[in-house]
Structure formats: C-alpha cells, structure tokens
Amino acid sequence: MAHVRVAIVSEPLDITAEIERVSAGRGDIGAIVTFTGLCRDEDGRLEALELEHYPGMAENEVKRIAEQAAGRWEISDVSILHRHGKVRPGEIIVLVVTASKHRHAAFESAEFIMDFLKTHAPFWKKEHTAAGAVAWVAAKQADDEAEERWNNSD
Amino acid sequence: MAHVRVAIVSEPLDITAEIERVSAGRGDIGAIVTFTGLCRDEDGRLEALELEHYPGMAENEVKRIAEQAAGRWEISDVSILHRHGKVRPGEIIVLVVTASKHRHAAFESAEFIMDFLKTHAPFWKKEHTAAGAVAWVAAKQADDEAEERWNNSD
Amino acid sequence: MKLVYFAWVRERIGMAEETVDPPRSVETVADLLGWLRTRGDSYDIALGESGAIRVALDHDHADHDASIAGIREVALFPPMTGG
Amino acid sequence: MKLVYFAWVRERIGMAEETVDPPRSVETVADLLGWLRTRGDSYDIALGESGAIRVALDHDHADHDASIAGIREVALFPPMTGG
C-alpha cells in the first residue's frame, strides 16, 4: 500500500521539502510527478484569495481522494497538501506529489487527484481585488467534466 | 510563445532551482507540473547508470520536442533537463517542468514530452551492477506504444 | 441536528452554524431545504437556487434525495472551488 | 561522409566514428548498411539485425529508405533508452 500524506495548512507550502520527504534515501522510485496550483494575480487585479474550508470533512475527503488514487494506480507515495486562509498571488494553493516505478501511473494518478480535488474537496475561494472588491469564485463546468471522464473504464 | 529551456548536463539536476526559475516573480502561472525521472537501484543490484548521448543531435532533438509541446498546448514555460554520463541510484536522470494557466495543458504537455524523449532523444543507458556486470538497457515496446497514442487526434 | 453553512450560503443566511429540530415530516435533504426556506427571507435567498446547493451528511457528500435520519451534522454549501 | 556510432553499435564495430567514401551505387541508408556489412565481421555483427538499427542523417531521425545524397554525417545506433 502506498504511503499517503495529507495536510490542510495555513502556512506556505514547500514543494522541495515534500519531494525530499518522498524521495530521500529511496532506490525504488523511478518517477515523481508534482502538480503545483498557484494563486494567479489576474493581470495585477488580485490582491489575495481567501480559502474557506470545512474542517474535519476537508481532511477526510482529501485523504479519501488520495486513497482512491493509491487503489487505482501502482503508486508508492502520494502527498496532497492544501492551503486554507489567505493566499497571495504567486503562492501555492495546492501541491500534489505522486511517486511510482512507472511514469504513466505517476502522471495519471496526479491528474485524477486534481480533478477530484476540484469537485469533491470542501474548499471555497473568495477573491479580494486590489480595488477592494470581494467575490466568490464560481465553480467551473469544465471541472465537472474533467472529473466525469474518470468514471469511464480505461 | 512559450519560454523554452533545454540543457544536457553531466552535473546533478536541481528541481528546486528549475521550479524557482520558472515561477519566480510570475503572477500569470496557475499550474506547474514537474516530472522527475530517477535512477532506481533495482533492489540494490545497480551501482550506476551510464548515459551515452549524441552531442549536437541530443540538444536539437530535445529542443524540438519542447517546441512541439509548446505548439500543441497553451503553456507559458517548458524546461527539459537531461543528464549524461554516470548517474547513481536516487539521482535525477531527467527533469521536465511545464507551466500554464490551466492544469490539463501542463499535465498533458509534460506527459507528451516524456513519451517523445523516451523514443526520440538520442540517449542510451548502460547498467553497471554492484557485482561488476555491464549491460545495455533494452528499449521498451511500451514506450513506442506510449508515443504512438499522441499521433491520434485528440 | 446541527447545520453548518459555508461560503455564500453562510453569508446569505448570516451565520456559520445552528442547531435545529425539524418536524417529523422532514425526512430527506430536499425536505430539509424546503423547511429551512420557510424560516425567513435570508434562508429563502440562500437556498432558493436549490440546484446550486451541495450537501454533506456527517462529512460525506450526499444527494438531495438522501435520508437525514440519524444524521448529526448537515452541511450546506455552494459547488466547491478548491484545488 | 562521416559515420558516427553509439551504444552497442559503437562497441561492436569497435570505434566511435570514421570517414568513408561509399561507391556510387550506395544511395539509401539501407544501401549503406548493406555495404558496411561487407567491410568485416565486426560490421556484420553490429548491423546484422538491421531492424534494430536506428539512423540519423545530419542530426535528424531518418528511415532506412531515406536517401543519403548530400548528407555529411550519418549516425547509426540502437533504439534509444533516454528519458
């Protein structure tokens, strides 16, 4: 069974530390895929994103997604780290790391995890613009469709 | 057009430095995907991989693959770094970084690049075992098939 | 039964959580949403586009036709935008 | 015309590169491979499984039926195993 690590944190995420944690002293990993989701500045309009989450459920749901990926692909390690609270442009919102002997398992499991995080993890983004406006980010139809495709057998 | 960076080097590769190079001071990147291909120890049997390459052609071919990816997906940055010479277990053989506003472009372009590197980049791996044996690594049929699928329209 | 609200559902209702004791006729999530909307304008505005309301029962995603029998915590929120 | 060899093709032929002047009848990569195999056992062993031999003409991948007219550097090597 894969090593699964999940964390919902309010501090900045460190990709280097997470890769190091997964790969240090290991001779059995051939492929590591990382996905880093960053806060964009929207052409300078955005001052910050505020990430609300559902404590308790968020951890459970993210862990469930990690375990689903580990059950579906031959991966030795999976880490999912997600910020909550205020995030500034250029900072990391979400970090996914998957490791495997084989590259396709590492790629596909990371993409699966991102598609399910978007549609299943109880987080909500609110935009704070430099001009002082505040608005909830709307969910994207494209994210539902991205998740849907994993329900087909492949 | 995307920022393309390609390097064929004999020194250890640094994933952190490359992510930093791509993302530092940028507010327009929403997604970064990295692929790290590591030298496995084959249950302790492997002492080192020796990577032979075709100087001149290797740089050209890797650059061509990066540019193909940049032409096919909406990516703002693509880096491909590849080792040559002796590589020890746990060290990085190849590092691919793609950045985009959108996650699917970043994932797919990185996977495309890896599939084409395996079949088109003029590198050859030789195994040196701890017991002193030496053998060329055979190409995998699976790699040809992985490359083939990108020729279908999608 | 504890109700918890998130994002614009929370803002429109004007609170993050409350404890309620719905009548026996409220058996499903859909029943609960209908009953809540009778409790005031803020609820009606928050839950009016009921197709946009997502639900979790004791931390598990659920559909609007799910039974709420025995559930301790019902969460109501908009479509998620994490990741 | 410069020939360069890599991996086990290089090891079996016993050198990394050489300059050759094939006869006029040698027009394609396949012709070149056939002519090289007449030059000695080491060539015959290296290039015998011709289906396993990959080719680049002036740094571009090419098929065995490609013309070598005007080419300055021909590379012969096994299937690649990089990445």
Side-chain angles (χ1 to χ4, degrees):
Chain A
M1 195 56 192
H3 300 102
V4 172
R5 191 170 105 84
V6 158
I8 314 292
V9 298
S10 58
E11 300 78 43
L13 294 173
D14 183 349
I15 183 169
T16 311
E18 198 56 30
I19 292 176
E20 184 65 22
R21 183 195 300 270
V22 166
S23 62
R26 298 277 295 277
D28 59 329
I29 296 177
I32 298 177
V33 167
T34 72
F35 177 87
T36 310
L38 298 157
C39 178
R40 285 184 281 164
D41 66 5
E42 309 297 349
D43 301 321
R45 285 184 296 106
L46 194 83
E47 187 180 274
L49 276 181
E50 195 180 334
L51 276 147
E52 183 171 336
H53 77 303
Y54 184 177
M57 179 173 173
E59 290 81 353
N60 288 355
E61 195 61 26
V62 172
K63 189 150 183 275
R64 175 154 38 199
I65 293 166
E67 286 167 353
Q68 271 185 307
R72 187 158 171 170
W73 286 276
E74 204 186 303
I75 50 180
S76 60
D77 300 79
V78 49
S79 297
I80 308 178
L81 312 183
H82 203 300
R83 279 287 289 277
H84 68 86
K86 268 210 173 153
V87 179
R88 305 281 168 186
E91 288 185 354
I92 299 174
I93 297 168
V94 61
L95 174 60
V96 174
V97 180
T98 57
S100 175
K101 280 192 176 179
H102 304 292
R103 72 186 183 281
H104 290 116
F107 270 118
E108 287 181 15
S109 57
E111 200 165 5
F112 168 92
I113 286 167
M114 280 310 303
D115 286 348
F116 274 76
L117 281 181
K118 291 271 177 189
T119 52
H120 283 68
F123 290 86
W124 299 270
K125 293 192 184 104
K126 192 180 210 173
E127 291 184 346
H128 293 257
T129 71
V134 166
W136 291 100
V137 173
K140 293 196 195 93
Q141 176 70 20
D143 286 331
D144 287 335
E145 288 160 6
E147 181 244 297
E148 266 298 313
R149 73 200 162 115
W150 297 104
N151 297 325
N152 304 324
S153 62
D154 56 319
Chain B
M1 194 55 189
H3 300 102
V4 172
R5 191 170 106 83
V6 157
I8 314 292
V9 299
S10 58
E11 300 79 42
L13 294 172
D14 183 348
I15 183 169
T16 311
E18 197 56 30
I19 291 176
E20 185 65 22
R21 183 195 300 271
V22 166
S23 62
R26 297 278 295 277
D28 59 328
I29 296 176
I32 298 177
V33 167
T34 72
F35 177 87
T36 311
L38 298 157
C39 178
R40 284 183 281 163
D41 66 4
E42 308 297 348
D43 300 321
R45 285 185 296 107
L46 193 83
E47 187 179 275
L49 276 181
E50 195 179 333
L51 275 148
E52 182 171 335
H53 77 303
Y54 183 178
M57 180 174 173
E59 290 81 352
N60 288 355
E61 195 62 25
V62 171
K63 188 149 184 276
R64 176 154 37 199
I65 293 167
E67 285 167 353
Q68 272 185 304
R72 188 159 171 169
W73 285 274
E74 203 187 303
I75 50 180
S76 59
D77 300 78
V78 49
S79 297
I80 308 178
L81 312 183
H82 205 299
R83 279 287 289 278
H84 69 86
K86 266 206 176 159
V87 179
R88 305 282 168 186
E91 288 184 354
I92 299 174
I93 297 168
V94 60
L95 174 60
V96 174
V97 180
T98 58
S100 175
K101 281 192 175 179
H102 305 292
R103 71 184 184 280
H104 291 116
F107 271 118
E108 287 181 14
S109 57
E111 200 165 6
F112 168 92
I113 286 167
M114 279 310 304
D115 286 348
F116 274 76
L117 282 180
K118 292 270 177 188
T119 52
H120 282 70
F123 290 86
W124 300 271
K125 292 191 184 104
K126 192 181 209 173
E127 292 184 344
H128 293 257
T129 71
V134 166
W136 291 100
V137 173
K140 294 197 196 93
Q141 175 71 20
D143 286 332
D144 287 335
E145 289 161 7
E147 181 245 296
E148 267 299 314
R149 73 200 162 114
W150 298 104
N151 297 325
N152 304 324
S153 62
D154 56 317
Chain C
M1 175 182 285
K2 186 176 172 188
L3 301 181
V4 295
Y5 308 121
F6 294 98
W8 54 251
V9 173
R10 173 179 54 71
E11 289 182 342
R12 290 178 190 175
I13 290 178
M15 65 182 118
E17 59 179 73
E18 62 182 316
T19 300
V20 297
D21 191 10
R24 278 167 180 269
S25 60
V26 171
E27 295 178 349
T28 66
V29 169
D31 294 341
L32 179 67
L33 290 171
W35 176 72
L36 285 169
R37 287 179 64 187
T38 66
R39 301 180 81 218
D41 281 353
S42 60
Y43 291 92
D44 194 41
I45 291 165
L47 307 173
E49 307 166 58
S50 72
I53 304 299
R54 300 287 180 272
V55 185
L57 302 180
D58 289 340
H59 291 177
D60 281 334
H61 290 295
D63 291 329
H64 285 203
D65 58 4
S67 165
I68 57 170
I71 297 297
R72 285 164 303 167
E73 184 168 304
V74 177
L76 302 177
F77 44 79
M80 291 147 282
T81 55
Chain D
M1 174 183 288
K2 186 176 172 187
L3 301 182
V4 295
Y5 309 121
F6 294 97
W8 53 252
V9 173
R10 171 179 55 71
E11 288 182 343
R12 289 177 190 174
I13 290 178
M15 66 181 114
E17 58 178 74
E18 63 180 317
T19 300
V20 298
D21 192 9
R24 280 170 178 267
S25 61
V26 171
E27 295 178 349
T28 66
V29 169
D31 295 341
L32 179 67
L33 290 172
W35 176 72
L36 285 170
R37 288 179 64 187
T38 67
R39 301 181 80 217
D41 281 354
S42 61
Y43 290 92
D44 194 40
I45 291 165
L47 307 174
E49 307 166 58
S50 72
I53 304 299
R54 299 286 181 273
V55 186
L57 303 179
D58 289 340
H59 291 176
D60 281 335
H61 289 295
D63 291 329
H64 285 204
D65 59 4
S67 165
I68 58 170
I71 296 297
R72 285 164 303 166
E73 184 168 305
V74 178
L76 303 177
F77 44 78
M80 291 148 281
T81 55

